[in-house]
């Protein structure tokens, strides 16, 4: 039976921006980064190694679907981390071409007015956007992928690209 494997990527954008001098402003030539700025989490049953690290290696069966979502440690409030693409650079092409999806889903949120929320909160269902990249596992093998993303900042009514970045986790399919 085909499974959906959701991978959440959390990027330490504050440290990344503070540490990397002159990051690329070209999305086609992102700045390579070490694995110490992004942390990937997947359901334990699919993790081969590297849970909650930049070196996550997962196992998936042919027919499974992988969905990647990304957020900054500030929840995309101070800086926003946004996936650009995921492409193979070595090994077997275990996935189909990666595509993007944007859904408008109903999500429970605490309250409806910004400000302090009384605890425990009362939840209201509100439309929220859900953006992710997705690919199907199409063959067995091990593939090494480049995950590229942008760090953005919204300030004083203006959206600014602070840089484009890339790093390389592994997908193993059996």
């Amino acid at each position: 039976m085909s499974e959906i494997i959701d991978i959440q990527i959390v990027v330490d954008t504050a440290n990344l921006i503070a540490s990397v001098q002159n990051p690329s402003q070209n999305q086609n030539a992102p700045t390579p980064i070490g694995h110490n700025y992004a942390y990937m989490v997947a359901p334990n049953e699919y993790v081969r190694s590297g849970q909650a690290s930049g070196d996550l290696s997962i196992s998936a069966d042919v027919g499974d679907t992988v969905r990647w979502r990304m957020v900054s440690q500030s929840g995309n409030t101070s800086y926003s981390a946004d996936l650009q693409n995921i492409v193979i650079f070595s090994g077997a092409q275990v996935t189909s071409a990666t595509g993007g999806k944007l859904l408008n889903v109903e999500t429970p949120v605490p309250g409806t007015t910004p400000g302090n929320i009384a605890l425990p909160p009362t939840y209201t269902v509100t439309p929220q956007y859900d953006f992710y990249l997705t690919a199907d596992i199409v063959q067995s093998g091990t593939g090494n992928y480049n995950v590229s993303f942008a760090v953005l900042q919204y300030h004083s009514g203006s959206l600014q690209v602070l840089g484009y970045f890339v790093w390389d986790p592994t997908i193993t399919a059996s």
Side-chain angles (χ1 to χ4, degrees), residues 9 21 28 44 46 76 99 101 118 131 140 150 164:
I9 305 167
Q21 301 300 314
N28 296 315
N44 281 329
Y46 303 108
N76 284 349
K101 292 252 185 177
F131 173 69
S140 296
Y164 293 99

mmCIF file of all heavy atoms in Angstrom, residues 9 21 28 44 46 76 99 101 118 131 140 150 164:
data_model
loop_
_atom_site.group_PDB
_atom_site.id
_atom_site.type_symbol
_atom_site.label_atom_id
_atom_site.label_comp_id
_atom_site.label_asym_id
_atom_site.label_seq_id
_atom_site.Cartn_x
_atom_site.Cartn_y
_atom_site.Cartn_z
ATOM 1 N N ILE A 9 10.948 20.438 7.447
ATOM 2 C CA ILE A 9 12.297 21.007 7.488
ATOM 3 C C ILE A 9 12.222 22.324 8.251
ATOM 4 O O ILE A 9 11.443 23.208 7.902
ATOM 5 C CB ILE A 9 12.836 21.271 6.069
ATOM 6 C CG1 ILE A 9 12.778 19.996 5.215
ATOM 7 C CG2 ILE A 9 14.252 21.839 6.133
ATOM 8 C CD1 ILE A 9 12.995 20.236 3.733
ATOM 9 N N GLN A 21 28.204 35.167 4.774
ATOM 10 C CA GLN A 21 28.423 36.492 4.203
ATOM 11 C C GLN A 21 28.096 36.485 2.710
ATOM 12 O O GLN A 21 28.479 35.574 2.000
ATOM 13 C CB GLN A 21 29.881 36.923 4.402
ATOM 14 C CG GLN A 21 30.303 36.981 5.858
ATOM 15 C CD GLN A 21 29.471 37.960 6.666
ATOM 16 O OE1 GLN A 21 29.229 39.078 6.251
ATOM 17 N NE2 GLN A 21 29.011 37.521 7.825
ATOM 18 N N ASN A 28 19.164 30.306 -9.261
ATOM 19 C CA ASN A 28 19.743 29.237 -10.076
ATOM 20 C C ASN A 28 21.158 28.874 -9.645
ATOM 21 O O ASN A 28 21.733 27.914 -10.175
ATOM 22 C CB ASN A 28 19.728 29.619 -11.555
ATOM 23 C CG ASN A 28 18.308 29.772 -12.066
ATOM 24 O OD1 ASN A 28 17.444 28.948 -11.786
ATOM 25 N ND2 ASN A 28 18.057 30.857 -12.775
ATOM 26 N N ASN A 44 9.092 8.296 12.401
ATOM 27 C CA ASN A 44 10.180 7.370 12.748
ATOM 28 C C ASN A 44 10.203 6.101 11.908
ATOM 29 O O ASN A 44 11.270 5.571 11.620
ATOM 30 C CB ASN A 44 10.109 6.990 14.233
ATOM 31 C CG ASN A 44 10.688 8.068 15.117
ATOM 32 O OD1 ASN A 44 11.595 8.796 14.726
ATOM 33 N ND2 ASN A 44 10.147 8.185 16.316
ATOM 34 N N TYR A 46 9.969 5.650 8.898
ATOM 35 C CA TYR A 46 10.638 5.823 7.606
ATOM 36 C C TYR A 46 12.089 6.280 7.739
ATOM 37 O O TYR A 46 12.794 6.395 6.750
ATOM 38 C CB TYR A 46 9.881 6.830 6.743
ATOM 39 C CG TYR A 46 8.445 6.440 6.529
ATOM 40 C CD1 TYR A 46 7.413 7.133 7.152
ATOM 41 C CD2 TYR A 46 8.118 5.354 5.721
ATOM 42 C CE1 TYR A 46 6.094 6.765 6.971
ATOM 43 C CE2 TYR A 46 6.795 4.980 5.534
ATOM 44 C CZ TYR A 46 5.796 5.691 6.165
ATOM 45 O OH TYR A 46 4.497 5.312 5.988
ATOM 46 N N ASN A 76 8.333 31.369 10.459
ATOM 47 C CA ASN A 76 8.249 32.259 9.291
ATOM 48 C C ASN A 76 7.738 33.653 9.657
ATOM 49 O O ASN A 76 7.076 34.313 8.862
ATOM 50 C CB ASN A 76 7.413 31.648 8.166
ATOM 51 C CG ASN A 76 8.158 30.576 7.414
ATOM 52 O OD1 ASN A 76 9.370 30.396 7.572
ATOM 53 N ND2 ASN A 76 7.451 29.843 6.566
ATOM 54 N N GLY A 99 7.323 18.445 -7.695
ATOM 55 C CA GLY A 99 6.364 19.491 -8.042
ATOM 56 C C GLY A 99 5.923 20.221 -6.790
ATOM 57 O O GLY A 99 6.062 19.714 -5.668
ATOM 58 N N LYS A 101 2.858 22.176 -4.556
ATOM 59 C CA LYS A 101 1.410 22.185 -4.324
ATOM 60 C C LYS A 101 1.090 23.279 -3.319
ATOM 61 O O LYS A 101 1.808 23.473 -2.338
ATOM 62 C CB LYS A 101 0.940 20.859 -3.736
ATOM 63 C CG LYS A 101 1.047 19.694 -4.671
ATOM 64 C CD LYS A 101 -0.314 19.281 -5.116
ATOM 65 C CE LYS A 101 -0.152 18.020 -5.962
ATOM 66 N NZ LYS A 101 -1.370 17.488 -6.393
ATOM 67 N N ALA A 118 -6.020 33.820 26.087
ATOM 68 C CA ALA A 118 -6.258 33.183 27.378
ATOM 69 C C ALA A 118 -5.968 31.693 27.259
ATOM 70 O O ALA A 118 -6.237 31.076 26.232
ATOM 71 C CB ALA A 118 -7.700 33.411 27.808
ATOM 72 N N PHE A 131 1.740 24.989 1.659
ATOM 73 C CA PHE A 131 2.614 24.823 0.499
ATOM 74 C C PHE A 131 3.616 23.728 0.783
ATOM 75 O O PHE A 131 4.226 23.700 1.856
ATOM 76 C CB PHE A 131 3.362 26.121 0.180
ATOM 77 C CG PHE A 131 4.395 25.945 -0.907
ATOM 78 C CD1 PHE A 131 4.022 25.706 -2.205
ATOM 79 C CD2 PHE A 131 5.747 25.996 -0.602
ATOM 80 C CE1 PHE A 131 4.973 25.517 -3.208
ATOM 81 C CE2 PHE A 131 6.702 25.815 -1.589
ATOM 82 C CZ PHE A 131 6.313 25.577 -2.897
ATOM 83 N N SER A 140 13.650 1.592 -6.893
ATOM 84 C CA SER A 140 14.527 1.292 -5.765
ATOM 85 C C SER A 140 15.897 1.903 -5.988
ATOM 86 O O SER A 140 16.317 2.118 -7.126
ATOM 87 C CB SER A 140 14.679 -0.218 -5.606
ATOM 88 O OG SER A 140 13.442 -0.807 -5.295
ATOM 89 N N ALA A 150 14.892 29.606 -0.239
ATOM 90 C CA ALA A 150 15.141 31.042 -0.098
ATOM 91 C C ALA A 150 14.882 31.444 1.346
ATOM 92 O O ALA A 150 14.027 30.877 2.018
ATOM 93 C CB ALA A 150 14.217 31.834 -1.017
ATOM 94 N N TYR A 164 19.632 32.778 -1.375
ATOM 95 C CA TYR A 164 19.221 31.450 -1.829
ATOM 96 C C TYR A 164 20.286 30.463 -1.365
ATOM 97 O O TYR A 164 21.482 30.735 -1.475
ATOM 98 C CB TYR A 164 19.080 31.412 -3.348
ATOM 99 C CG TYR A 164 17.946 32.256 -3.858
ATOM 100 C CD1 TYR A 164 18.181 33.535 -4.358
ATOM 101 C CD2 TYR A 164 16.643 31.777 -3.838
ATOM 102 C CE1 TYR A 164 17.139 34.313 -4.830
ATOM 103 C CE2 TYR A 164 15.591 32.560 -4.304
ATOM 104 C CZ TYR A 164 15.842 33.819 -4.804
ATOM 105 O OH TYR A 164 14.809 34.598 -5.266
#
